[in-house]
Amino acid sequence: MKSTFKSYVNVYEDTENYQNDVDKNADAVFNAELTPALLSGEVVIGKAASVLKFSSYSEHKQGISGTLFCTNFKVSFVTADRSSYDVVDSSQWNRLLKENDIGLSCIDALYQVSGGKRKKLVPGSGISGRVKTLEVQCKNFNMHTFSFKFSPKGEDKSVVNAILHHAFPAKLTLLFAFDYISEKRQSGEYRQGSVKQYVGKRPSVRINLEMSDKKSPAKQVPSGEANVKMRGGGELKMESPGLIEDSGEFRAQKRHTGRRGQRFRHGTTLYNLPTDWETELRRLGCEDDWTVTQANEGYNMSTSLPECFVVSSRLLSTAFVTASVHFVDGRVPTWCYTYSNGASLVRMASTRPDTDETTHEDLMLEGIRMSHPRKRQPLVIDLTKTCPLAKDIATSYEKLKELCMPASLKDLWSVDGEWLSRLDSTNWLNDVMTCLQVAVYAVGKMVHERKTVVIKEYDSRDMSCIISCLVQLILDPTYRTIIGFQNLIQREWVTMCHKYPDRLGHVRYTETEESPVFLMFLDCVWQMLQQFPSSFAFSETYLTALWDSAQVAIFETFLFNSPHQAFTAIRNNAAVNDPRHTDFLSVWDWSQQFEEEQLSLFMNPLYTAKHDIPVRTDTTTQRESCTNLENKSETSAQEEQHETDIIIPETTAALIRLWSQCYLRWLAPLQIIGGGAPTEYLQQCLLVEEILHLQNKLRSLESATPVTKETRPTSHLFFSSGFKHTPAKLSKDVLTSSFPFSPIGPSSRSILGTPLSVYMEKSILNFKMNDETNASDT
């Protein structure tokens, strides 16, 4: 029988389209020139082809081939491994720096390796002979090894000399941030909050990182409101916390004008305006005893203080101007914090060594005494005697690096039997313990003895930053939120002039002042996070990312020693018209570096479970609690509430631990495949989501309304329902104890481990749902 049916549907259409896409991607990948992704103002300075990048601790027996580039921002290894047609690197953790990129400011040392011997290359010098192997040690404890065995003659020397010259600049203005701003200004394409990357002649992999003013559907969630009583009276309306950019605090600050007309999108207070300080004084209810002074306007009094800061209201501004010449760098005593009982925390520099006069210091201390509600004499703690010095921290850090960055597997296993004793001999953990002990001591004096504490240091720019922040973290839960913590760092470190570029080694002088004081502080915070895991809104990944970001010399936050240095450097930059209006990026705008999925790893699920998930309480218990509270005086009730907010870390040596994620994450032989702390973290995230899911289902049963994805609250955690799609890491990443960092390097594809998707196998949540999924399955 002859068929008369004629089909007008091309059954091969989907197959043909798929094959065309494959051919197109293959052509884009295999025929494309190896070039690095470049930011505005970034240019290639040197390159070497046919370079081998060895896998970490593979004893130079395993690696991949590619081209090594040196730009004015980074060292970039672009691999020739075309095993995948994907033109977008799904394993990329940071938007600014890919997995095989090294920020120039992150480079700590360069070693030339030949015949098993290592020779340290001196910054500023050049090499004339052939380079066989180059070892790059980084400040984030990572190590990269490159072989030039097959590179064309002369290219090895060219790229290594370029790295030596640009990784250790002698002047601040030679940092990439200035090239970036100049290019943005000249091209006229600058938008605050945006970073663009361009990839040479490969438009198919152009990555646009412009921030959109429109919120994604994941961020369009209802937010509750709560009235928070202020110590000075009145109420402050706050919105319920969520992801950094979703908080009410963020949206309020988004509308706030920051640096004299500059609009910031991160919600962090910059403390460069009197109103910033006044708001904090009102929050703490101490505006009558402490006041904002502008005695340093135009930096006429001190170049190492901001133009406005808080001092005792019992002294005239002229008294501070007169006394400033007797203090180191003109740093008169400045206010940090006031506890609910009126005891305050003040930081102060020492008097200058060339003066024996103590009259002005006594006058300052008298003003501090008069600012106490009971006029009590302040307690002065000399940090130069109680805390490690910056040079001591630098020494401990060098020993810690030597232990945590062995040159080879042989070196790693040779010290395994005495690893703990080696760790103890670094004195790093002892320095951490000492800082915590001093902070706890200061808190005890403020809370129990109601004394104002004055922390005194030579120039009040290193250990004063650590102790003042630790004290406030112990006393005030506001600073344990992400925005609060960033406000604290911005105020006590950035605005109060911690010497970031000097201490981080962004600029190399003849006499080095490098010392990771900021890392010491983050380690102290990490110790508190381990002891009080539900008291901080952020995770250890957030702290690690913050340390990594400090090594990227593009953020204004870590770029200058003081606001005065920033003002001077910007004024002298021909590309900037108004020195008070900068276009530098802020590290607090995390969307510059990370996707929303990655930002979710900054959140602490235990904090979310404790503070953000509503818990049903028996009405009788509530009534009894209210009755007991009414029987107490208002003052005692407030004091008891404030005391419950205090977290006192234990400072015995047995409880001080090594921050493994930060210091050991790149040591592939030490990784626990499918285990480690990340397993606890991810399980906690999943439990929070399941609780929210069940609560949503219970509400639907009580109200007889159908369950929908939109009605379920958004936690902003890793498994949050706020994400439009299943996080890519669920199906692509292998879980190790270094998650979300990848210690395996180029050989990661050959590692068999536990994919993150295993967490969803027995979960009540359905992550494969789409808009058409039945509501009952949500």
Side-chain angles (χ1 to χ4, degrees), residues 336-403:
C336 298
Y337 181 76
T338 297
Y339 187 57
S340 58
N341 61 11
S344 298
L345 181 68
V346 180
R347 57 195 288 179
M348 178 179 70
S350 303
T351 53
R352 291 172 53 179
D354 57 354
T355 178
D356 296 329
E357 189 177 350
T358 60
T359 305
H360 294 282
E361 181 178 309
D362 294 339
L363 176 63
M364 296 290 104
L365 292 175
E366 177 61 17
I368 294 171
R369 185 187 73 83
M370 294 299 293
S371 292
H372 193 285
R374 299 190 181 184
K375 307 298 185 290
R376 289 186 174 177
Q377 194 69 29
L379 171 69
V380 179
I381 300 178
D382 191 345
L383 299 185
T384 59
K385 298 179 180 178
T386 58
C387 288
L389 302 177
K391 64 179 182 180
D392 298 327
I393 294 177
T395 302
S396 300
Y397 175 69
E398 290 300 321
K399 294 180 180 178
L400 183 66
K401 282 196 307 178
E402 184 179 353
L403 181 64

Side-chain angles (χ1 to χ4, degrees), residues 75 127 187 210 213 242 267 292 319 324 332 361 422 617-618 637 655 660 684 686 716 720 746:
V75 175
I127 57 173
S187 63
E210 289 279 359
D213 292 330
V292 181
S324 64
V332 295
E361 181 178 309
R422 289 282 190 96
T617 309
D618 183 72
L655 296 178
S660 298
Q684 291 162 3
L686 191 59
H716 302 295
S720 174

Side-chain angles (χ1 to χ4, degrees), residues 648-662:
I648 304 293
E650 291 296 331
T651 59
T652 57
L655 296 178
I656 304 299
R657 300 161 53 189
L658 181 71
W659 186 6
S660 298
Q661 188 194 65
C662 185

Side-chain angles (χ1 to χ4, degrees), residues 386-427:
T386 58
C387 288
L389 302 177
K391 64 179 182 180
D392 298 327
I393 294 177
T395 302
S396 300
Y397 175 69
E398 290 300 321
K399 294 180 180 178
L400 183 66
K401 282 196 307 178
E402 184 179 353
L403 181 64
C404 297
M405 298 175 66
S408 64
L409 275 176
K410 179 181 178 181
D411 293 339
L412 172 64
W413 300 128
S414 66
V415 299
D416 189 59
E418 52 187 26
W419 205 88
L420 293 177
S421 60
R422 289 282 190 96
L423 176 62
D424 181 61
S425 66
T426 66
N427 268 337

Side-chain angles (χ1 to χ4, degrees), residues 603-627:
M603 312 297 287
N604 182 359
L606 294 181
Y607 182 91
T608 301
K610 181 178 179 180
H611 295 84
D612 299 342
I613 295 182
V615 179
R616 297 194 173 196
T617 309
D618 183 72
T619 53
T620 305
T621 306
Q622 282 185 326
R623 199 173 294 114
E624 290 175 354
S625 300
C626 293
T627 304

